[in-house]
Amino acid sequence: MKICLERHWHHLSTEEVSILLETSEALGLDTSEVHRRLELFGDNRLVRKKGKSPQVLFLLQFHQPLVYILLAATVVTSLLREWVDAGVIFGVVLVNAIIGFVQEAKAVKAIEALTQSLISTATVFRGNERKQISATELVPGDIVLLQSGDKVPADLRLLSTRELQVDESALTGESVPVRKQSDLLAADTLLADRTNMAYSSSLVTYGIATGVVVATGKSTEIGRINELIASADILATPLTKKITRFSELLLYVILGLAAITFLVGVLRRGEAWIDMFMAVVALAVGAIPEGLPAAVTITLAIGVNKMARRHAIIRKLPAVETLGSATVICSDKTGTLTQNQMTVQEMYAGGALYLVSGVGYAAEGHFTREGASVSVDEEPALRECLVCGLLCNDSALIKGDEGEWRVEGDPTEAALVVAARKAGLEQEALALTHPRIDVIPFESQYQYMATLHECGKGKVLYLKGSVESVLSRCHRALSRSGETMPLSSVDCHRTVAEIAEKGLRVLAFARMEWDRTSRVLGHHDLRQGLTFIGLQGMIDPPRPEAVAAVQICRRAGIRVKMITGDHAITAAAIARQIGLVEASGTVPGYTSVLNGRALAELTEAALVEAAERTAVFARVAPEQKLRLVEALQAGGHVVAMTGDGVNDAPALRQANIGIAMGVTGTEVAKEAADMLLADDNFSSIAAAVEEGRGVYDNLVKFITWTLPTNLGEGLVILAAVFTGAQLPILPVQILWINMTTAVLLGLMLAFEPKESGLMDRPPLDPAKPLLTMELITRICLVGFLLLAGAFGLFKWALQEGYSLSAARTCAVNVFVFGEMFYLFNCRSLRHSSLYIGLFGNRLLLVGVALMIGLQLLFTYLPAMHIAFGSQEIGLRAWSLILVGALLLSLVVEGEKAIRRWRSTATS
């Protein structure tokens, strides 16, 4: 059998499919054959690939250079018998490892959620008997019965259908249910257009059908998506990459300086090796930014809370920073950029074109013609078109407990109900005055629906359907006044073309006075003699806030690309309305819409180029979404990808940041994503990008603030070794400086408000190092100033007769108060401290007050003297410490002013 090898079931006739699968539509498979095929193909479930064990995942969290440095610091401080400090440093490492482990463990749940989504029941014919079985027991060749409300249990080739409509949005991205049939299709038919197939996990919204199972488990389309999810790489974020590179460099620098210091002290200066070992320990501890991992974690966590208030729920902490680096946002159309509510926007009746305002399912809006408002009661043809759409309709709108509207039935028919309600027409009231007598449901081969109604003393027939099927049955039309007139097919088709070019789906409406005694409708009754009423054009309209958000993203240098399974014309129309492309179809640097078929023919190199210059991708298959994300990443972009369906999960996981819909998204998409949108709104992404940029800014501010201290401490130790002086600060004192200032001073920068103009900057360059040359220069400047102040004051104190402990206390306070004053400089890396104000971050002032209190305890409390080797100092020493700290701050402000002046002069 070719059951597993055959991929083009849609290109085979129903007879050929039955022969290949050795089955019968009437009888199904017998029990023995089912058992044989179960052994051959396995259960109809997705099997999760075995991954790393929890123990290995946890240990891998320690496999990074910065953690190596911190673990070394733990060992060093333990050798010094400073158990509290060792415990604190190791505690930081442990907390970070736990957080990383929890994040990674959640990421692999995507496949588990996908597995659960497949388990359901199925109705089958087996041995000429109708049975209900677990979907896991299905095998290729089983005959499955489908009806409204069923979840399709496996991939099926449809053998017969009756008004079948299937919601495939989770798989293909199609915004409305797909009408199915059983006829043969061309071999190159795209997945979203295979109307003779029903795919696993899609939902039957209307009708009944019989199909034969052609694929189960991992061989289904959803199974292939499962494989794509498993194969997609989990990427490091720009920040984690930069911190890794920075940590590796720092590791080598510390080891190199430590080795040089030890060799110079022992071999050149003849110092005792034990003294040099203690100096090396002090140097290593001083150069290690112990507070950096905690600062990164806490700053990101604060960003999570800020984003949650703006409807963006972060599942993985690094996603906060990645958003600030995003250069491209790939967005799904339906429900993200659009309302996910079909809405009538244009109507044509009596030879006049009407615009309908309002969006969504709320009955709020009015009708205009040529810019002027009209009363529907004064436009008979328009009113009759609305009445026809309301009565020839099997759908309804239901108001939920919280006031929201939901659809029962076809969303397209629901749009007709809403349009009629905007004119004051109610479905229930019309049903009483025009009770339905008979109906011909929509059938794909006829392309129309017809209903017969009582109307006063007579009867009236209403018909709605495709333009071709309705116009071919009409020879008259209603005029604006409600009188009949000759039908102008040319005018109708021209109007249809104009409406369709805007991406609207067009339905035509007709009526006929029923003067027959029969109360039963037949297709032969509708061949001719109808009166054309009008047209209604509808679309899933864009969210108004999405339009503004796209413009914000463009101003911020972020490209927005639409990737959808919907039709190219519809996608292009929405893209024009939200500003992705202009009326001409393009914006500078972009080409027009690219569809899935053209995409499939591109080589990898050509795809990278096409992904760069194309704004809208339509009729895109799941694996193509993944290819597009990979192509954009190959072009150097940091990619944010939105999605809600099962089909989006592989691309969500591959993207630098996957964004799932929190309301309409499937569990599979949510588990694969880094972030959820609580309101399914694209505008929340723009808000989250702004928060992400603010978080990144604050992280860079912290690093720019903390590194000069580490540099200064290291330089002080080197200066002491090379000049033969005693150590100005001890290792335990260095730990005191680093840990207390990081918590009480540095972490306060995490609460720094966003600077103005944040979204007017270009995206962060992924290739740009964490620290620019400008910031490195500033770090070195401050580091050398701290060296001069601490070493100079240490030497001065000894010359003035201070004890060694008091001199060291002076040096420690130089570092602490120097950092304190420098902290205000770091509130903005470019602007003056006075420009941004002193009181914009009140927590920073609280931290400064607490730090001053701690330093007073460090200096004057006897218990601290015993623990840290400190000693009381006098007022003269304090005045020199504060003057030095103030001078340091003024020098930095001067350096910033010079850079601003140079930037203005060259611009």
Side-chain angles (χ1 to χ4, degrees):
M1 288 186 293
K2 298 182 180 178
I3 297 172
C4 267
L5 302 178
E6 181 61 57
R7 298 297 302 175
H8 295 90
W9 296 105
H10 60 280
H11 186 50
L12 300 176
S13 68
T14 55
E15 293 80 9
E16 289 174 312
V17 171
S18 296
I19 292 171
L20 275 174
L21 294 172
E22 299 176 10
T23 189
S24 163
E25 182 178 357
L27 301 177
L29 301 174
D30 59 36
T31 304
S32 60
E33 181 62 17
V34 168
H35 289 311
R36 190 179 74 81
R37 295 190 185 191
L38 267 175
E39 291 181 4
L40 181 62
F41 301 110
D43 289 346
N44 179 33
R45 69 170 79 240
L46 301 181
V47 180
R48 179 185 169 188
K49 291 185 176 180
K50 187 176 181 181
K52 298 181 180 71
S53 68
Q55 295 85 349
V56 173
L57 281 177
F58 181 71
L59 290 175
L60 286 174
Q61 306 306 314
F62 297 91
H63 183 53
Q64 42 188 307
L66 190 57
V67 173
Y68 296 155
I69 298 173
L70 291 172
L71 289 174
T74 303
V75 172
V76 168
T77 49
S78 298
L79 292 173
L80 294 172
R81 298 185 181 276
E82 299 295 339
W83 306 115
V84 174
D85 299 310
V88 169
I89 298 172
F90 185 71
V92 171
V93 174
L94 191 61
V95 168
N96 278 279
I98 292 171
I99 292 172
F101 171 72
V102 170
Q103 293 168 8
E104 198 161 340
K106 284 183 177 179
V108 298
K109 287 185 179 178
I111 298 174
E112 292 178 354
L114 197 57
T115 303
Q116 293 301 316
S117 73
L118 191 63
I119 299 174
S120 57
T121 59
T123 303
V124 298
F125 269 125
R126 282 185 176 173
N128 201 26
E129 291 183 10
R130 181 170 175 160
K131 299 179 179 179
Q132 190 163 36
I133 63 171
S134 169
T136 58
E137 300 173 17
L138 286 174
V139 295
D142 261 325
I143 304 300
V144 176
L145 303 180
L146 297 176
Q147 62 182 1
S148 180
D150 284 351
K151 185 177 184 180
V152 179
D155 285 2
L156 309 178
R157 171 62 166 92
L158 298 174
L159 302 176
S160 62
T161 64
R162 183 175 177 184
E163 311 307 323
L164 185 68
Q165 295 181 35
V166 179
D167 179 359
E168 296 182 333
S169 58
L171 185 67
T172 66
E174 179 67 70
S175 56
V176 296
V178 180
R179 300 184 186 278
K180 297 290 186 177
Q181 50 83 36
S182 57
D183 296 339
L184 179 73
L185 295 173
D188 62 350
T189 304
L190 296 175
L191 179 72
D193 297 324
R194 294 176 188 173
T195 54
N196 60 6
M197 299 288 295
Y199 292 105
S200 177
S201 83
S202 56
L203 300 171
V204 178
T205 60
Y206 192 78
I208 60 175
T210 302
V212 58
V213 176
V214 296
T216 59
K218 65 180 182 181
S219 299
T220 61
E221 289 298 324
I222 197 174
R224 293 174 60 228
I225 291 173
N226 178 52
E227 296 293 320
L228 292 175
I229 295 175
S231 63
D233 297 328
I234 300 177
L235 301 177
T237 73
L239 179 69
T240 55
K241 288 179 181 178
K242 290 174 183 178
I243 286 182
T244 298
R245 288 195 294 268
F246 169 74
S247 302
E248 290 173 349
L249 176 63
L250 187 61
L251 176 64
Y252 296 137
V253 168
I254 291 172
L255 293 176
L257 287 176
I260 292 171
T261 301
F262 187 82
L263 292 174
V264 168
V266 173
L267 300 180
R268 184 165 181 170
R269 301 197 60 84
E271 301 285 349
W273 71 269
I274 189 66
D275 294 335
M276 283 302 96
F277 178 74
M278 293 304 295
V280 166
V281 166
L283 174 64
V285 170
I288 295 169
E290 289 90 352
L292 182 56
V296 171
T297 301
I298 293 171
T299 305
L300 293 178
I302 292 168
V304 167
N305 291 330
K306 288 182 179 179
M307 289 182 178
R309 291 196 291 269
R310 302 186 74 172
H311 307 292
I313 311 301
I314 300 296
R315 293 184 63 250
K316 304 172 185 178
L317 282 181
V320 178
E321 170 272 328
T322 310
L323 272 170
S325 307
T327 59
V328 173
I329 299 175
C330 297
S331 177
D332 193 14
K333 176 182 71 67
T334 305
T336 310
L337 293 169
T338 65
Q339 302 270 347
N340 198 21
Q341 296 178 342
M342 292 295 287
T343 306
V344 173
Q345 292 191 332
E346 295 191 12
M347 293 183 65
Y348 176 77
L353 185 66
Y354 301 86
L355 301 183
V356 187
S357 66
V359 294
Y361 292 145
E364 299 172 359
H366 58 277
F367 298 79
T368 59
R369 180 173 59 83
E370 297 178 353
S373 296
V374 299
S375 171
V376 173
D377 291 335
E378 296 174 3
E379 302 281 341
L382 175 62
R383 187 180 191 280
E384 190 66 4
C385 188
L386 292 167
V387 169
C388 181
L390 193 58
L391 291 176
C392 191
N393 197 314
D394 282 332
S395 296
L397 284 175
I398 307 297
K399 196 169 188 177
D401 295 335
E402 298 181 2
E404 79 285 359
W405 292 95
R406 58 183 176 84
V407 178
E408 282 193 355
D410 191 316
T412 300
E413 289 191 328
L416 303 177
V417 175
V418 175
R421 291 182 66 228
K422 289 177 182 178
L425 301 173
E426 294 293 338
Q427 204 169 20
E428 297 80 4
L430 271 178
L432 292 175
T433 58
H434 295 67
R436 183 183 290 187
I437 301 171
D438 197 16
V439 60
I440 296 178
F442 181 92
E443 294 181 22
S444 56
Q445 61 266 42
Y446 293 104
Q447 293 293 307
Y448 62 74
M449 172 185 178
T451 55
L452 182 62
H453 300 266
E454 295 278 6
C455 182
K457 295 181 179 180
K459 304 182 189 71
V460 62
L461 178 148
Y462 285 116
L463 181 94
K464 82 166 189 291
S466 68
V467 174
E468 294 77 9
S469 65
V470 172
L471 284 180
S472 65
R473 291 165 170 79
C474 299
H475 66 278
R476 295 189 303 271
L478 278 187
S479 66
R480 278 186 60 198
S481 62
E483 304 295 326
T484 58
M485 63 180 185
L487 172 65
S488 174
S489 297
V490 176
D491 288 344
C492 285
H493 283 292
R494 183 176 63 250
T495 303
V496 168
E498 291 172 356
I499 297 175
E501 281 179 0
K502 301 171 187 174
L504 275 66
R505 183 180 183 184
V506 184
L507 290 180
F509 301 83
R511 59 168 288 165
M512 182 169 64
E513 299 295 335
W514 189 265
D515 54 4
R516 308 169 199 182
T517 57
S518 173
R519 298 173 65 87
V520 178
L521 281 178
H523 290 291
H524 61 278
D525 296 317
L526 309 175
R527 289 173 183 165
Q528 58 183 0
L530 278 80
T531 299
F532 174 73
I533 304 173
L535 307 168
Q536 295 196 44
M538 65 197 68
I539 196 170
D540 179 11
R543 293 176 180 264
E545 58 272 31
V547 178
V550 167
Q551 295 308 311
I552 290 172
C553 289
R554 182 173 291 176
R555 194 174 71 244
I558 302 170
R559 293 190 177 186
V560 180
K561 297 177 184 289
M562 180 193 295
I563 302 178
T564 179
D566 218 336
H567 291 281
I569 294 175
T570 305
I574 294 296
R576 284 193 294 271
Q577 291 182 46
I578 65 175
L580 286 184
V581 296
E582 294 175 354
S584 61
T586 62
V587 294
Y590 284 119
T591 61
S592 57
V593 179
L594 193 66
N595 65 34
R597 180 175 282 111
L599 205 61
E601 297 172 356
L602 296 177
T603 63
E604 293 303 318
L607 181 61
V608 172
E609 182 181 351
E612 180 71 26
R613 57 185 172 81
T614 305
V616 181
F617 300 88
R619 303 308 264 174
V620 174
E623 61 270 22
Q624 291 177 325
K625 290 186 178 185
L626 181 59
R627 283 189 70 204
L628 281 169
V629 171
E630 291 172 335
L632 287 166
Q633 289 170 336
H637 287 289
V638 176
V639 182
M641 171 74 186
T642 74
D644 56 0
V646 175
N647 62 320
D648 297 318
L652 289 176
R653 193 175 185 202
Q654 176 64 34
N656 299 85
I657 174 166
I659 305 171
M661 303 301 107
V663 178
T664 60
T666 60
E667 286 303 312
V668 179
K670 292 176 184 178
E671 288 293 336
D674 305 288
M675 184 179 99
L676 306 181
L677 292 184
D679 57 356
D680 287 11
N681 197 328
F682 183 86
S683 64
S684 295
I685 301 175
V689 168
E690 184 179 16
E691 292 295 343
R693 289 188 174 190
V695 166
Y696 187 90
D697 257 15
N698 289 347
L699 282 172
V700 174
K701 289 173 185 177
F702 175 86
I703 293 169
T704 306
W705 171 83
T706 193
L707 288 186
T709 305
N710 301 113
L711 175 63
E713 289 166 346
L715 290 174
V716 162
I717 302 302
L718 284 174
V721 171
F722 278 81
T723 60
Q726 292 178 296
L727 293 181
I729 46 178
L730 297 173
V732 69
Q733 293 172 340
I734 291 174
L735 282 172
W736 167 265
I737 296 169
N738 290 355
M739 298 309 294
T740 56
T741 57
V743 173
L744 294 178
L745 299 181
L747 282 181
M748 298 305 107
L749 290 172
F751 299 93
E752 193 65 29
K754 297 185 295 293
E755 293 188 41
S756 59
L758 202 59
M759 291 300 282
D760 293 328
R761 306 178 192 172
L764 299 166
D765 184 356
K768 193 175 181 180
L770 187 64
L771 298 175
T772 62
M773 185 54 65
E774 175 183 331
L775 294 181
I776 290 173
T777 302
R778 188 172 301 163
I779 288 168
C780 291
L781 172 64
V782 176
F784 278 99
L785 288 174
L786 288 172
L787 161 67
F791 198 77
L793 197 59
F794 173 74
K795 299 293 287 183
W796 171 86
L798 291 178
Q799 291 173 1
E800 291 293 313
Y802 281 66
S803 68
L804 181 60
S805 295
R808 284 172 173 164
T809 302
C810 290
V812 168
N813 279 300
V814 167
F815 275 103
V816 171
F817 281 87
E819 284 187 89
M820 196 181 297
F821 278 72
Y822 179 52
L823 183 67
F824 289 91
N825 300 121
C826 290
R827 289 190 58 213
S828 175
L829 298 178
R830 175 175 173 79
H831 296 294
S832 164
S833 301
L834 296 176
Y835 174 81
I836 61 173
L838 295 176
F839 303 104
N841 184 353
R842 294 185 179 180
L843 283 174
L844 184 142
L845 299 177
V846 172
V848 167
L850 292 174
M851 192 67 236
I852 292 174
L854 271 184
Q855 277 309 110
L856 292 175
L857 292 176
F858 175 87
T859 306
Y860 296 107
L861 190 68
M864 301 294 276
H865 297 168
I866 297 171
F868 293 99
S870 58
Q871 193 173 328
E872 296 178 4
I873 57 176
L875 188 60
R876 191 177 175 197
W878 276 116
S879 62
L880 291 175
I881 291 168
L882 295 175
V883 168
L886 178 61
L887 285 174
L888 183 151
S889 181
L890 292 175
V891 169
V892 174
E893 287 300 330
E895 183 258 352
K896 287 200 286 186
I898 292 171
R899 289 191 182 276
R900 288 195 302 273
W901 175 78
R902 286 179 177 175
S903 176
T904 304
T906 56
S907 62

